[in-house]
Every structure is written in structure tokens, then in C-alpha cells.
Amino acid sequence: MPFNHPQFEATIGLEIHAQLTTSKKLFCFCSTAYGAEPNASTCPVCTAQPGALPVLNQEAVDLAILAGVALNCKINNTSVFSRKNYFYPDLPKGYQISQFDKPLCSDGHVDIYLNDTTVRINIERIHMEEDAGQSQHHHYGTLINLNRASTPLVEIVSRPEITGAQEAAAYMREVKNILVYAGVNDGNLQEGSLRCDANVSIRPKGQVKLGTRTEIKNVNSFRFLEKAIDYEIARQIQVVVAGGRVVQETRGYDSAKNVTYSMRSKEDAHDYRYFPEPDLLPLLVDQARIDKVSSNMVELPSVRAARYAKDYELPQSITATITSSRALADYYDKLVSIVGDGKLSANWVVGQVLRALKESSPENAAENIEAESAVDPGQLISTERLAELLSLIKEGLINNNIAKTVFDELLTSTASAKEIVSKKGLAQVSDTSLIDKAIDGVLMRCADQVAEYRSGKDKVFGFLVGQVMRELKGKANPTIINDMLKKKL
Ligand code: ZN
Ligand code: MN
């Protein structure tokens, strides 16, 4: 939803840093595994010892190409690594090897589905770069951990055309989803595998020139990104309305207080003294290599969603939800292959399975991740067990409401759906003589409502169905009740 203010509009551009799923660093053979002892995964190259030289990790290049293809980018045959110079304790070389004027990928886009509309967000460029190390601040001083130094990243830079916080978060979620589908990123925001800088500015409606922007640094949560941007837009409007000027600066987000705060005045590109990295040749990527990498492309979420819509006639709101995580979409595909009913399976996956997933992981629910890729719904309930339950519905043995009760039981017990239904006597009453008896009882007892119905008050019908269902303890087939009741009336 675009941000809505009577006088001002917001413009947002995102820079998403995504860690590539290589086991080795970008310019040396150190491990990228998360959680190693501090400085255990280091060597003379990534700690910048004199004379050490970088060697480019070709697997990282292929993954970066795959990211570019997945995000609809043009892959440039020649790209160049540059030195981005700045001084910081966790950057031992005194510069970061990145790409500047000649990035690996350019001109891509992502379509996001938000509030029943599809919005296209254009991507300006994707470049490769190495990560910096980490400063760990303690009361006795600051310690440096260089395990993360030189971890391979892609930086995905959107065009400044996002119009609100919700749209920004939806875009970041979709980028994450696509990268996880493609196997380029592990989607682990908590471990910092995906983090985002947001450039935010406001301007009076109708003004062509963009306002002065601030940059919110290193947000690694969809929820916090949304809150930080909302806060920052409101803050900038307040500054301008009070007659002040927005200062170009880098800001942090304090999630505990839900505020952004000034960190430092923002550098311009020329402050970084970029120049081509003399220790690395230009990166040449020919079409054969791009084709080879593209041939490994999986079915991406938008393609899958279109397939579901076509094959099972599902609405976009449902296909978008199912494909919002690869684990969920894979689960759905497997379920349909057993049950043979795309619609019934979809109803259960976006209904009960998602509910159970959210309850099992309140953290993900708060993050508004439809289903975290790390959580496989198969761990809650296997597709085989759920398929058996759905087959009981299809056979008319139980109705939907009873099935929900059985589903909850399946989550905690090892019994099968059939066993639960027979043990608890939940099988549906389809013995028409029993239903017939129940209907007669209700018609007698509710003579007033029957009279109302006959005088044209159709609404009363639902009430009467409910009464019959109650007589039968909720175990009857509602369609049969409907038909029989109509006939009798
Ligand atoms: Zn190393
Ligand atoms: Mn960067």
C-alpha cells in the first residue's frame, strides 16, 4: 500500500545484502560456516597480511549469476572488481573489494503481490562484494572477529521507486523468497544472511526532484524494516513541516524504542576513492557460462504460482501464499500428487497447515513470514498422514469441521486419521434414516421458524440446518441435510 499523506509522498530504495551459499570465502579457502570460534575461519588473505593475494571463488560467481537470472537481470559479460576505501577496525585491508561502475548484473525486476495488486519493483544492479568482519563491543573494550571477513555477498540495489514501508517489506520478502528458491541464499535473517539498507526520502506531492535521503543501516527483519521506514518517513515530514531541512546521513534503527537515530553523516561515492582492484582481472562471463548456470534454475515462485492457478484454478491470494516459501510449495506439490485434488489440498495447506506452522513458531508469525523456509511443514505432519485425512473428507466419511478436530489430534498423536475417526466415533452419519428422524424432530420442535421459512424468510433455513446438525452431534454430511431438509420443507 503506498504511504498516504495529504501533502507528502515517500520514495524508498533498498540495498539488500545477501550471503551466497558457498562453503568457502570469496577470495580464499576459509570456511563460511556460521558460529565458528572467533577468528578460527581466517587466513593471511582474509586478514590482509602483507603480500597475500585474492583468488576469485568461481562457485560464488556462478551463484551471483544465478541470482541475477532469477531476478530477471541482464548478466554483463565484463564486470570489474574495485576497491572501496574506508577505515574501520573490522576491515583489515582498509578497503572492501566490491564492484562499482561495472557490476555483474543490471536492469532486473521483481513482481510483488500486495493487497490484491501486483506491483513491479525494478532492480538497478546486482554486484558482488566481500563482507567485512565484526566488532564485538564489551564493557572492557571492543573485540574483532574476522570470521565473516571476505564472505561472498551479492548486493541487490533497487531503483528508488518503492512508495511505502509495507511495499518495501513485501519486496524484501519476495527477494528473499526467490533467492531461497534458487538456492543462492539460505534465507536465515537471524544469522545475518540477508540484511537491508533502506534509503528513504520525502517530497511534496507533485515535486519532480527527490528529497534529501537518509539511509537506515543493516535491518535484518521484515517487521523492523517496515517499522523503521514508517518512523523515518514521519520524522522527515515533521522536520520539513517545522521549517527544517532533512540532513543526508546514515541512521540506525533501535527496535526496542522503535526509533531511528543518527550515526554519521552519509558518505558520497567519491568519499570512498573507488578504483579498479589491481590484484584481480576483470571478470569475464560468456554466454555459454550464463546458459549453463541458467540450466540449473528451478521453478521460481511466480512460475509455480501461475502453474497452480492454471492447473487447479486457484485465486492469486492462495497461490501467492503457497509459494511464499519453497518448503511450503514443495509440501503442497507432494500433497496434491497423493490426494489428486489441488483445491482441497490448497484449502488445507493455507488454512490448517499454516496455522499450525505459525503456532509452532510464534517468532516467524511475528515476522509475517508465511512459512519460514527453515521450517518444513512435513515435520509437523507428513503429507501421507494429511493425505489420508483429506481422502476421508473426499469419501464423505467425515465433514470439514470434524476433520479439523482430527487434524489437531494428528499433530500430537502417532495414530492415523482413520484410527482417530473410528476410535472416537467421528464418522459421519450418512444413514439417511437417522438424518430423516433428526429432521422430523427439528421440524416439530421449531414450528415457528418453519412457518417463517414458508412465508419467504430464506434466512431461517441456515438455522434449521444448524439444529439438525446439532441433533446429530455435528457428524452429519451438511449437503445431505440441505437436500433432505429442502425436500421436506
Ligand atoms: Zn581466509
Ligand atoms: Mn555493500
Side-chain angles (χ1 to χ4, degrees):
M1 193 168 19
F3 161 76
N4 216 343
H5 186 279
Q7 286 154 290
F8 293 96
E9 60 190 14
T11 308
I12 300 148
L14 294 192
E15 296 167 8
I16 298 176
H17 286 93
Q19 185 177 328
L20 298 170
T21 48
T22 56
S23 56
K24 306 249 175 348
K25 291 187 178 181
L26 189 52
F27 302 116
C28 60
F29 300 102
C30 292
S31 163
T32 55
Y34 181 78
E37 283 292 304
N39 296 307
S41 306
T42 58
C43 74
V45 176
C46 55
T47 55
Q49 303 305 310
L53 289 171
V55 176
L56 182 60
N57 178 341
Q58 295 301 325
E59 190 197 354
V61 175
D62 284 345
L63 287 171
I65 294 171
L66 196 60
V69 175
L71 295 168
N72 304 298
C73 288
K74 175 174 170 281
I75 311 298
N76 297 312
N77 298 119
T78 305
S79 59
V80 171
F81 285 98
S82 290
R83 288 188 181 179
K84 181 181 183 179
N85 296 281
Y86 65 93
F87 296 93
Y88 212 72
D90 60 20
L91 190 74
K93 289 199 288 283
Y95 58 85
Q96 176 193 26
I97 302 179
S98 180
Q99 294 184 313
F100 179 51
D101 49 350
K102 291 199 170 75
L104 177 63
C105 321
S106 41
D107 299 319
H109 66 259
V110 168
D111 290 332
I112 56 173
Y113 180 69
L114 183 65
N115 303 319
D116 296 324
T117 355
T118 302
V119 183
R120 174 160 295 184
I121 307 294
N122 288 293
I123 292 169
E124 191 175 301
R125 55 186 279 152
I126 302 177
H127 61 258
M128 297 186 73
E129 63 183 29
E130 59 178 340
D131 208 344
Q134 280 169 303
S135 302
Q136 292 165 351
H137 305 290
H138 300 273
H139 63 90
Y140 48 82
T142 296
L143 300 178
I144 302 294
N145 180 359
L146 294 178
N147 282 347
R148 217 176 63 184
S150 223
T151 294
L153 305 177
V154 281
E155 180 174 334
I156 302 157
V157 182
S158 84
R159 292 201 184 278
E161 56 184 28
I162 298 166
T163 58
Q166 203 193 10
E167 198 174 289
Y171 163 75
M172 185 180 171
R173 229 179 265 133
E174 187 60 19
V175 168
K176 176 208 143 179
N177 196 23
I178 291 170
L179 295 181
V180 171
Y181 266 74
V184 165
N185 178 268
D186 68 11
N188 226 323
L189 275 76
Q190 301 90 321
E191 294 176 3
S193 295
L194 198 80
R195 20 187 227 274
C196 168
D197 305 333
N199 291 293
V200 180
S201 68
I202 56 141
R203 61 182 163 184
K205 276 186 181 167
Q207 178 181 304
V208 177
K209 195 171 167 274
L210 289 174
T212 304
R213 67 189 161 104
T214 60
E215 181 180 21
I216 309 167
K217 268 291 187 204
N218 267 335
V219 188
N220 67 344
S221 141
F222 302 119
R223 189 164 47 106
F224 292 160
L225 178 68
E226 203 169 324
K227 286 184 159 188
I229 292 173
D230 269 336
Y231 175 87
E232 184 57 19
I233 292 172
R235 186 192 69 84
Q236 291 186 11
I237 290 177
Q238 218 169 35
V239 168
V240 171
V241 167
R245 265 182 342 114
V246 174
V247 182
Q248 182 176 329
E249 62 184 354
T250 299
R251 298 179 71 87
Y253 175 67
D254 181 336
S255 58
K257 296 187 188 133
N258 187 30
V259 295
T260 66
Y261 57 90
S262 178
M263 292 167 78
R264 55 179 185 266
S265 71
K266 167 71 184 159
E267 308 80 0
D268 277 314
H270 59 101
D271 294 323
Y272 288 116
R273 304 287 188 272
Y274 278 101
F275 64 88
E277 166 61 67
D279 292 337
L280 289 167
L281 291 166
L283 174 58
L284 304 181
V285 175
D286 60 13
Q287 193 54 44
R289 182 168 186 183
I290 300 170
D291 292 344
K292 185 160 176 260
V293 170
S294 310
S295 70
N296 295 325
M297 183 62 75
V298 297
E299 188 184 37
L300 290 173
S302 57
V303 181
R304 255 199 216 198
R307 171 163 67 83
Y308 294 158
K310 182 169 162 281
D311 291 357
Y312 313 128
E313 294 173 348
L314 299 175
Q316 200 176 1
S317 57
I318 303 282
T319 60
T321 304
I322 296 174
T323 54
S324 67
S325 112
R326 184 172 172 179
L328 194 66
D330 287 347
Y331 183 87
Y332 172 71
D333 272 337
K334 208 171 149 204
L335 186 64
V336 176
S337 74
I338 309 173
V339 179
D341 186 328
K343 262 190 189 149
L344 181 66
S345 302
N347 284 340
W348 277 79
V349 166
V350 300
Q352 300 306 308
V353 173
L354 260 194
R355 176 186 60 83
L357 267 181
K358 282 181 182 164
E359 282 169 8
S360 77
S361 174
E363 224 172 85
N364 290 336
E367 275 287 286
N368 203 8
I369 301 172
E370 295 296 3
E372 173 54 46
S373 49
V375 181
D376 177 3
Q379 286 170 356
L380 284 177
I381 178 168
S382 72
T383 45
E384 289 79 9
R385 278 161 66 74
L386 179 56
E388 189 186 303
L389 177 65
L390 300 196
S391 70
L392 297 181
I393 303 174
K394 279 183 75 176
E395 289 162 20
L397 207 66
I398 54 174
N399 65 30
N400 228 21
N401 276 334
I402 297 287
K404 283 177 192 161
T405 315
V406 179
F407 178 83
D408 285 339
E409 186 99 17
L410 284 171
L411 293 177
T412 51
S413 101
T414 52
S416 74
K418 274 185 192 147
E419 285 163 357
I420 294 168
V421 167
S422 78
K423 199 173 79 198
K424 301 208 156 183
L426 295 171
Q428 192 156 256
V429 179
S430 20
D431 180 347
T432 45
S433 69
L434 274 178
I435 298 177
D436 200 61
K437 227 172 103 189
I439 291 179
D440 285 345
V442 169
L443 292 185
M444 210 129 68
R445 188 153 55 74
C446 306
D448 290 352
Q449 284 85 352
V450 171
E452 277 179 43
Y453 178 78
R454 289 190 172 133
S455 71
K457 278 198 180 165
D458 289 350
K459 268 198 216 154
V460 190
F461 187 72
F463 168 82
L464 292 171
V465 172
Q467 292 299 310
V468 178
M469 192 58 108
R470 230 175 74 179
E471 292 270 310
L472 297 164
K473 298 194 173 62
K475 291 189 291 187
N477 183 327
T479 324
I480 299 181
I481 299 183
N482 270 316
D483 291 349
M484 292 177 60
L485 188 59
K486 270 215 177 103
K487 266 183 212 149
K488 292 223 170 191
L489 283 168

